[in-house]
């Protein structure tokens, strides 16, 4: 068994109304910020999965994203491996994804 | 001027209560999913910035993230360049970040 950490990035599909994004855009003037457009607000879910291997872990995350975390009618999701993969059987893969800072 | 697209990933700081994460964990049994732990639910904000260069664009995003998108008392944020950088003056940088799928 090995342990993998993933992020699921859920964003409103193109064309779907995004009131939170509009609210952010509406606040920019008050902050004196210009040049910012096309703001879209979604969710980011980070989770740890214990599975036989990374493919198995990703399959679990795919199911969770499609059935619980995202509404497929109005939202798209992307699955991203993030740091922290570890294994109790074999060494962790050389590239387990990294967090952007 | 050049145009850059960024994502700001906002997550609850370690130790901060995350009721949405607990709700996801509470739903796993109903879905017949096991092996998923440490669920944290945050926000993902994607936006386009027009600025003189990428450093200038990132400075705008830093300010926006710290002053509007994240509550620094309870949330951490990470800024991630995503696909779609373009320029009206010079060619886009070779590495403009990529979206994980």
């Amino acid at each position: 068994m090995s342990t993998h950490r993933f992020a699921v990035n859920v964003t409103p599909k193109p064309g779907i109304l995004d009131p939170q994004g509009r609210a952010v855009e509406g606040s920019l003037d008050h902050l004196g910020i210009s040049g910012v457009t096309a703001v879209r607000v979604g969710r980011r879910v980070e989770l740890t999965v214990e599975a036989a291997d990374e493919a198995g872990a990703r399959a679990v995350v795919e199911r969770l994203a499609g059935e619980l975390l995202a509404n497929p009618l109005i939202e798209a999701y992307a699955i991203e491996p993030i740091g922290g993969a570890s294994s109790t059987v074999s060494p962790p893969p050389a590239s387990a994804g990294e967090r952007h800072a």
Side-chain angles (χ1 to χ4, degrees), chain A:
Chain A
M1 300 294 277
S2 59
T3 301
H4 306 268
R5 191 143 178 95
F6 290 91
V8 181
N9 296 319
V10 181
T11 45
K13 282 185 179 174
I16 297 289
L17 197 67
D18 175 17
Q20 291 183 92
R22 295 299 79 69
V24 170
E25 290 172 356
S27 302
L28 296 173
D29 272 353
H30 294 288
L31 289 171
I33 290 177
S34 62
V36 173
T37 55
V39 181
R40 305 290 278 172
V41 178
R43 287 186 304 290
R44 179 176 173 93
V45 183
E46 299 184 354
L47 47 86
T48 298
V49 187
E50 188 170 345
D53 52 25
E54 175 155 1
R58 185 178 278 267
V60 168
V61 179
E62 279 281 356
R63 214 187 125 205
L64 195 54
E67 294 183 19
L68 182 67
L69 304 179
N71 177 347
L73 290 174
I74 57 171
E75 293 171 325
Y77 64 84
I79 294 172
E80 173 190 344
I82 55 181
S86 65
S87 173
T88 55
V89 177
S90 54
S95 167
E98 63 181 302
R99 176 185 294 268
H100 300 263

